[in-house]
Amino acid sequence: MDHAVLTINGGSSSLKFALFRAGARVVSGNFERIGAGEATLTVREAGGTAKPQAVRAANHEACVAILLDALRARGLDRAVAAVGHRIVHGGSRLTTPQVASVEAMAELRRLMPLDPEHLPAEIALVEACRSAFGRAAAVLCFDTAFHAELPVVARMLAIPRKYYEAGVRRYGFHGLSYTYLMRELGRAAGERAARGRVILAHLGNGASMAAVREGRCIDTTMAFTPTAGLVMGTRSGDLDPGVAGYLGRTEGMSAEQFAEMASGRSGLVGISETSSDVRDLLERESRDPRAAEALVVFCYQARKWIGALAAALGGVETLVFAGGIGENSAAIRARCCEGLACLGLTIDAGRNERGDAVISPAGSAATVRVIRTDEEAVIAEAVTSFVGRGGDA
Ligand code: ADP
């Protein structure tokens, strides 16, 4: 039978999708700059390349209608038996992939204040896909789920306890990527390595790290929101809470404005004043001191966090780089590991430049790896476990 699984991964102004048949990706692609009046759609047939084309997509729902047309044009629309959605926040209760039941959707709506940046668009996407792919099952996959078992010592924020009891705690994100990386680590390095002391570094526009021991996540850099932890493209990472009070008093900055600044205008773009994109900054760093400084601060904070997570783990045996920066930039990988020989972390320049799977020297105390992450594959697999390999609901 011609059953397929569609994966939907909505960002604030982007939407990635992929169509899997019998576990293999047949079509994938993405929408970019949704709502900016210059949105584009790129559709790639298995393994091929494609050029972005301009589309009229004012919001995520409009993208679903365009996607449906694109699949119809390829005779694939009726093959969709289930749709798997990446959901950034599942709160404390939604901790395993599950069918988008009335109860699960009500819980997501209840959680909206926890993540007003992502959840409204993600809920709208689930509903838009329901109308577009009527008979297809909808499955929710949560980025927070990987961190569901964080020990209390890592999940508690040191503010009055009543807030912890009300759900203000470390949740952690990027869990679908981490799930993939752990699986690939087990496959590439063996179960023994995957059950050891592992630091996963997902460095993309959003960036975070997770410390994993015996297969369980024991700490992670993002916290109550994805703004915490590492310096990122537009997010500040960890910040002295006193800054909010100071800017409130001196500039009349509201809590909303502060959150928008810390998440949308800080990090690499805040320091460089030109770009949130590591490629741009690498290209400019030799002539633009602000671009150079942005990269220095990014790499310094990443090194500090590797040290912190190594301390939480009691040492580190494997460090994995992933995400757009971690997978593609040898220079940033090398800078993030500079001076960490004290933790057994060293880089072989030749292997790093080539982008080998293992970039530490042979026989070094800890192994440094590069793994190309694949959140869509994790979603498709979770969906398949619900609806059967053939896609039968
Ligand atoms: P997102 O979190 O939006 O999925 P990605 O994982 O695609 O983002 O990562 C985007 C980041 O990866 C950008 O900062 C981009 O500059 C960086 N990047 C992509 N390719 C390269 C490269 N070849 N060299 C350096 N940085 C790169």
PDB file of all heavy atoms in Angstrom, residues 239-262:
ATOM      1  N   LEU A 239      22.224  35.204  31.369  1.00  0.00           N
ATOM      2  CA  LEU A 239      22.346  36.641  31.560  1.00  0.00           C
ATOM      3  C   LEU A 239      22.082  36.927  33.034  1.00  0.00           C
ATOM      4  O   LEU A 239      21.230  36.297  33.635  1.00  0.00           O
ATOM      5  CB  LEU A 239      21.250  37.292  30.706  1.00  0.00           C
ATOM      6  CG  LEU A 239      21.406  38.677  30.175  1.00  0.00           C
ATOM      7  CD1 LEU A 239      22.703  38.825  29.394  1.00  0.00           C
ATOM      8  CD2 LEU A 239      20.232  38.996  29.256  1.00  0.00           C
ATOM      9  N   ASP A 240      22.784  37.873  33.578  1.00  0.00           N
ATOM     10  CA  ASP A 240      22.525  38.322  34.949  1.00  0.00           C
ATOM     11  C   ASP A 240      21.100  38.883  35.007  1.00  0.00           C
ATOM     12  O   ASP A 240      20.773  39.827  34.282  1.00  0.00           O
ATOM     13  CB  ASP A 240      23.552  39.416  35.269  1.00  0.00           C
ATOM     14  CG  ASP A 240      23.313  40.078  36.616  1.00  0.00           C
ATOM     15  OD1 ASP A 240      22.320  39.738  37.288  1.00  0.00           O
ATOM     16  OD2 ASP A 240      24.131  40.943  36.967  1.00  0.00           O
ATOM     17  N   PRO A 241      20.232  38.329  35.888  1.00  0.00           N
ATOM     18  CA  PRO A 241      18.854  38.844  35.948  1.00  0.00           C
ATOM     19  C   PRO A 241      18.798  40.321  36.307  1.00  0.00           C
ATOM     20  O   PRO A 241      17.811  41.004  35.992  1.00  0.00           O
ATOM     21  CB  PRO A 241      18.182  37.995  37.032  1.00  0.00           C
ATOM     22  CG  PRO A 241      19.156  36.962  37.435  1.00  0.00           C
ATOM     23  CD  PRO A 241      20.480  37.216  36.807  1.00  0.00           C
ATOM     24  N   GLY A 242      19.867  40.837  36.904  1.00  0.00           N
ATOM     25  CA  GLY A 242      19.905  42.257  37.272  1.00  0.00           C
ATOM     26  C   GLY A 242      19.848  43.184  36.071  1.00  0.00           C
ATOM     27  O   GLY A 242      19.456  44.345  36.198  1.00  0.00           O
ATOM     28  N   VAL A 243      20.226  42.676  34.881  1.00  0.00           N
ATOM     29  CA  VAL A 243      20.206  43.522  33.676  1.00  0.00           C
ATOM     30  C   VAL A 243      18.768  43.957  33.369  1.00  0.00           C
ATOM     31  O   VAL A 243      18.526  45.104  32.970  1.00  0.00           O
ATOM     32  CB  VAL A 243      20.824  42.770  32.467  1.00  0.00           C
ATOM     33  CG1 VAL A 243      20.702  43.601  31.198  1.00  0.00           C
ATOM     34  CG2 VAL A 243      22.272  42.421  32.738  1.00  0.00           C
ATOM     35  N   ALA A 244      17.816  43.045  33.583  1.00  0.00           N
ATOM     36  CA  ALA A 244      16.410  43.372  33.281  1.00  0.00           C
ATOM     37  C   ALA A 244      15.944  44.529  34.153  1.00  0.00           C
ATOM     38  O   ALA A 244      15.345  45.497  33.666  1.00  0.00           O
ATOM     39  CB  ALA A 244      15.522  42.148  33.492  1.00  0.00           C
ATOM     40  N   GLY A 245      16.262  44.467  35.450  1.00  0.00           N
ATOM     41  CA  GLY A 245      15.853  45.526  36.376  1.00  0.00           C
ATOM     42  C   GLY A 245      16.515  46.846  36.001  1.00  0.00           C
ATOM     43  O   GLY A 245      15.860  47.899  35.981  1.00  0.00           O
ATOM     44  N   TYR A 246      17.796  46.775  35.668  1.00  0.00           N
ATOM     45  CA  TYR A 246      18.536  48.004  35.346  1.00  0.00           C
ATOM     46  C   TYR A 246      17.955  48.681  34.104  1.00  0.00           C
ATOM     47  O   TYR A 246      17.708  49.887  34.100  1.00  0.00           O
ATOM     48  CB  TYR A 246      20.015  47.655  35.126  1.00  0.00           C
ATOM     49  CG  TYR A 246      20.821  48.851  34.690  1.00  0.00           C
ATOM     50  CD1 TYR A 246      21.183  49.844  35.601  1.00  0.00           C
ATOM     51  CD2 TYR A 246      21.218  48.990  33.358  1.00  0.00           C
ATOM     52  CE1 TYR A 246      21.906  50.955  35.199  1.00  0.00           C
ATOM     53  CE2 TYR A 246      21.935  50.100  32.945  1.00  0.00           C
ATOM     54  CZ  TYR A 246      22.283  51.082  33.871  1.00  0.00           C
ATOM     55  OH  TYR A 246      22.988  52.183  33.463  1.00  0.00           O
ATOM     56  N   LEU A 247      17.715  47.913  33.051  1.00  0.00           N
ATOM     57  CA  LEU A 247      17.179  48.517  31.821  1.00  0.00           C
ATOM     58  C   LEU A 247      15.741  48.995  32.026  1.00  0.00           C
ATOM     59  O   LEU A 247      15.304  49.956  31.406  1.00  0.00           O
ATOM     60  CB  LEU A 247      17.280  47.538  30.649  1.00  0.00           C
ATOM     61  CG  LEU A 247      18.713  47.200  30.224  1.00  0.00           C
ATOM     62  CD1 LEU A 247      18.720  46.218  29.059  1.00  0.00           C
ATOM     63  CD2 LEU A 247      19.498  48.464  29.844  1.00  0.00           C
ATOM     64  N   GLY A 248      15.027  48.318  32.923  1.00  0.00           N
ATOM     65  CA  GLY A 248      13.674  48.769  33.272  1.00  0.00           C
ATOM     66  C   GLY A 248      13.740  50.144  33.923  1.00  0.00           C
ATOM     67  O   GLY A 248      12.989  51.054  33.561  1.00  0.00           O
ATOM     68  N   ARG A 249      14.671  50.280  34.887  1.00  0.00           N
ATOM     69  CA  ARG A 249      14.759  51.564  35.625  1.00  0.00           C
ATOM     70  C   ARG A 249      15.304  52.680  34.753  1.00  0.00           C
ATOM     71  O   ARG A 249      14.825  53.803  34.791  1.00  0.00           O
ATOM     72  CB  ARG A 249      15.672  51.388  36.850  1.00  0.00           C
ATOM     73  CG  ARG A 249      15.072  50.573  37.975  1.00  0.00           C
ATOM     74  CD  ARG A 249      15.903  50.685  39.243  1.00  0.00           C
ATOM     75  NE  ARG A 249      17.289  50.283  39.059  1.00  0.00           N
ATOM     76  CZ  ARG A 249      17.737  49.025  39.081  1.00  0.00           C
ATOM     77  NH1 ARG A 249      16.886  48.037  39.282  1.00  0.00           N
ATOM     78  NH2 ARG A 249      19.007  48.747  38.907  1.00  0.00           N
ATOM     79  N   THR A 250      16.329  52.376  33.952  1.00  0.00           N
ATOM     80  CA  THR A 250      17.022  53.467  33.254  1.00  0.00           C
ATOM     81  C   THR A 250      16.418  53.782  31.893  1.00  0.00           C
ATOM     82  O   THR A 250      16.530  54.894  31.405  1.00  0.00           O
ATOM     83  CB  THR A 250      18.517  53.135  33.070  1.00  0.00           C
ATOM     84  OG1 THR A 250      18.602  51.891  32.363  1.00  0.00           O
ATOM     85  CG2 THR A 250      19.230  53.036  34.406  1.00  0.00           C
ATOM     86  N   GLU A 251      15.825  52.761  31.248  1.00  0.00           N
ATOM     87  CA  GLU A 251      15.290  53.009  29.898  1.00  0.00           C
ATOM     88  C   GLU A 251      13.791  52.790  29.824  1.00  0.00           C
ATOM     89  O   GLU A 251      13.208  52.843  28.742  1.00  0.00           O
ATOM     90  CB  GLU A 251      15.974  52.082  28.870  1.00  0.00           C
ATOM     91  CG  GLU A 251      17.460  52.322  28.765  1.00  0.00           C
ATOM     92  CD  GLU A 251      18.035  51.846  27.449  1.00  0.00           C
ATOM     93  OE1 GLU A 251      17.299  51.289  26.624  1.00  0.00           O
ATOM     94  OE2 GLU A 251      19.247  52.050  27.264  1.00  0.00           O
ATOM     95  N   GLY A 252      13.187  52.433  30.941  1.00  0.00           N
ATOM     96  CA  GLY A 252      11.758  52.135  30.945  1.00  0.00           C
ATOM     97  C   GLY A 252      11.424  50.918  30.105  1.00  0.00           C
ATOM     98  O   GLY A 252      10.321  50.797  29.556  1.00  0.00           O
ATOM     99  N   MET A 253      12.394  49.987  29.986  1.00  0.00           N
ATOM    100  CA  MET A 253      12.166  48.795  29.157  1.00  0.00           C
ATOM    101  C   MET A 253      11.212  47.845  29.880  1.00  0.00           C
ATOM    102  O   MET A 253      11.441  47.508  31.048  1.00  0.00           O
ATOM    103  CB  MET A 253      13.514  48.107  28.888  1.00  0.00           C
ATOM    104  CG  MET A 253      13.458  47.031  27.837  1.00  0.00           C
ATOM    105  SD  MET A 253      15.059  46.207  27.610  1.00  0.00           S
ATOM    106  CE  MET A 253      15.831  47.213  26.380  1.00  0.00           C
ATOM    107  N   SER A 254      10.137  47.430  29.207  1.00  0.00           N
ATOM    108  CA  SER A 254       9.171  46.526  29.847  1.00  0.00           C
ATOM    109  C   SER A 254       9.702  45.095  29.810  1.00  0.00           C
ATOM    110  O   SER A 254      10.653  44.791  29.076  1.00  0.00           O
ATOM    111  CB  SER A 254       7.837  46.594  29.105  1.00  0.00           C
ATOM    112  OG  SER A 254       7.995  46.004  27.818  1.00  0.00           O
ATOM    113  N   ALA A 255       9.036  44.227  30.568  1.00  0.00           N
ATOM    114  CA  ALA A 255       9.435  42.819  30.596  1.00  0.00           C
ATOM    115  C   ALA A 255       9.345  42.213  29.191  1.00  0.00           C
ATOM    116  O   ALA A 255      10.219  41.452  28.759  1.00  0.00           O
ATOM    117  CB  ALA A 255       8.560  42.044  31.569  1.00  0.00           C
ATOM    118  N   GLU A 256       8.285  42.573  28.476  1.00  0.00           N
ATOM    119  CA  GLU A 256       8.098  42.068  27.098  1.00  0.00           C
ATOM    120  C   GLU A 256       9.233  42.525  26.187  1.00  0.00           C
ATOM    121  O   GLU A 256       9.784  41.745  25.411  1.00  0.00           O
ATOM    122  CB  GLU A 256       6.802  42.632  26.504  1.00  0.00           C
ATOM    123  CG  GLU A 256       5.533  42.097  27.104  1.00  0.00           C
ATOM    124  CD  GLU A 256       5.252  40.700  26.620  1.00  0.00           C
ATOM    125  OE1 GLU A 256       4.922  40.563  25.437  1.00  0.00           O
ATOM    126  OE2 GLU A 256       5.383  39.753  27.427  1.00  0.00           O
ATOM    127  N   GLN A 257       9.550  43.804  26.285  1.00  0.00           N
ATOM    128  CA  GLN A 257      10.623  44.358  25.445  1.00  0.00           C
ATOM    129  C   GLN A 257      11.964  43.715  25.797  1.00  0.00           C
ATOM    130  O   GLN A 257      12.780  43.436  24.916  1.00  0.00           O
ATOM    131  CB  GLN A 257      10.723  45.887  25.640  1.00  0.00           C
ATOM    132  CG  GLN A 257       9.561  46.628  25.003  1.00  0.00           C
ATOM    133  CD  GLN A 257       9.503  48.080  25.465  1.00  0.00           C
ATOM    134  OE1 GLN A 257       9.930  48.426  26.575  1.00  0.00           O
ATOM    135  NE2 GLN A 257       8.971  48.935  24.622  1.00  0.00           N
ATOM    136  N   PHE A 258      12.171  43.456  27.068  1.00  0.00           N
ATOM    137  CA  PHE A 258      13.428  42.821  27.481  1.00  0.00           C
ATOM    138  C   PHE A 258      13.523  41.409  26.894  1.00  0.00           C
ATOM    139  O   PHE A 258      14.558  41.011  26.344  1.00  0.00           O
ATOM    140  CB  PHE A 258      13.520  42.768  29.013  1.00  0.00           C
ATOM    141  CG  PHE A 258      14.811  42.166  29.470  1.00  0.00           C
ATOM    142  CD1 PHE A 258      15.968  42.930  29.520  1.00  0.00           C
ATOM    143  CD2 PHE A 258      14.875  40.816  29.813  1.00  0.00           C
ATOM    144  CE1 PHE A 258      17.175  42.360  29.916  1.00  0.00           C
ATOM    145  CE2 PHE A 258      16.070  40.246  30.197  1.00  0.00           C
ATOM    146  CZ  PHE A 258      17.220  41.017  30.246  1.00  0.00           C
ATOM    147  N   ALA A 259      12.411  40.661  26.986  1.00  0.00           N
ATOM    148  CA  ALA A 259      12.416  39.284  26.462  1.00  0.00           C
ATOM    149  C   ALA A 259      12.682  39.297  24.959  1.00  0.00           C
ATOM    150  O   ALA A 259      13.444  38.473  24.436  1.00  0.00           O
ATOM    151  CB  ALA A 259      11.080  38.605  26.769  1.00  0.00           C
ATOM    152  N   GLU A 260      12.082  40.256  24.265  1.00  0.00           N
ATOM    153  CA  GLU A 260      12.274  40.353  22.810  1.00  0.00           C
ATOM    154  C   GLU A 260      13.725  40.703  22.483  1.00  0.00           C
ATOM    155  O   GLU A 260      14.325  40.143  21.575  1.00  0.00           O
ATOM    156  CB  GLU A 260      11.293  41.401  22.256  1.00  0.00           C
ATOM    157  CG  GLU A 260      11.235  41.529  20.740  1.00  0.00           C
ATOM    158  CD  GLU A 260      12.351  42.377  20.169  1.00  0.00           C
ATOM    159  OE1 GLU A 260      12.709  43.408  20.775  1.00  0.00           O
ATOM    160  OE2 GLU A 260      12.906  42.007  19.114  1.00  0.00           O
ATOM    161  N   MET A 261      14.321  41.588  23.269  1.00  0.00           N
ATOM    162  CA  MET A 261      15.722  41.959  23.035  1.00  0.00           C
ATOM    163  C   MET A 261      16.649  40.761  23.297  1.00  0.00           C
ATOM    164  O   MET A 261      17.528  40.453  22.488  1.00  0.00           O
ATOM    165  CB  MET A 261      16.128  43.114  23.956  1.00  0.00           C
ATOM    166  CG  MET A 261      17.590  43.497  23.782  1.00  0.00           C
ATOM    167  SD  MET A 261      18.274  44.384  25.201  1.00  0.00           S
ATOM    168  CE  MET A 261      18.406  43.075  26.416  1.00  0.00           C
ATOM    169  N   ALA A 262      16.413  40.071  24.428  1.00  0.00           N
ATOM    170  CA  ALA A 262      17.313  38.974  24.795  1.00  0.00           C
ATOM    171  C   ALA A 262      17.188  37.813  23.824  1.00  0.00           C
ATOM    172  O   ALA A 262      18.152  37.078  23.596  1.00  0.00           O
ATOM    173  CB  ALA A 262      17.016  38.517  26.219  1.00  0.00           C
TER     174      ALA A 262
END
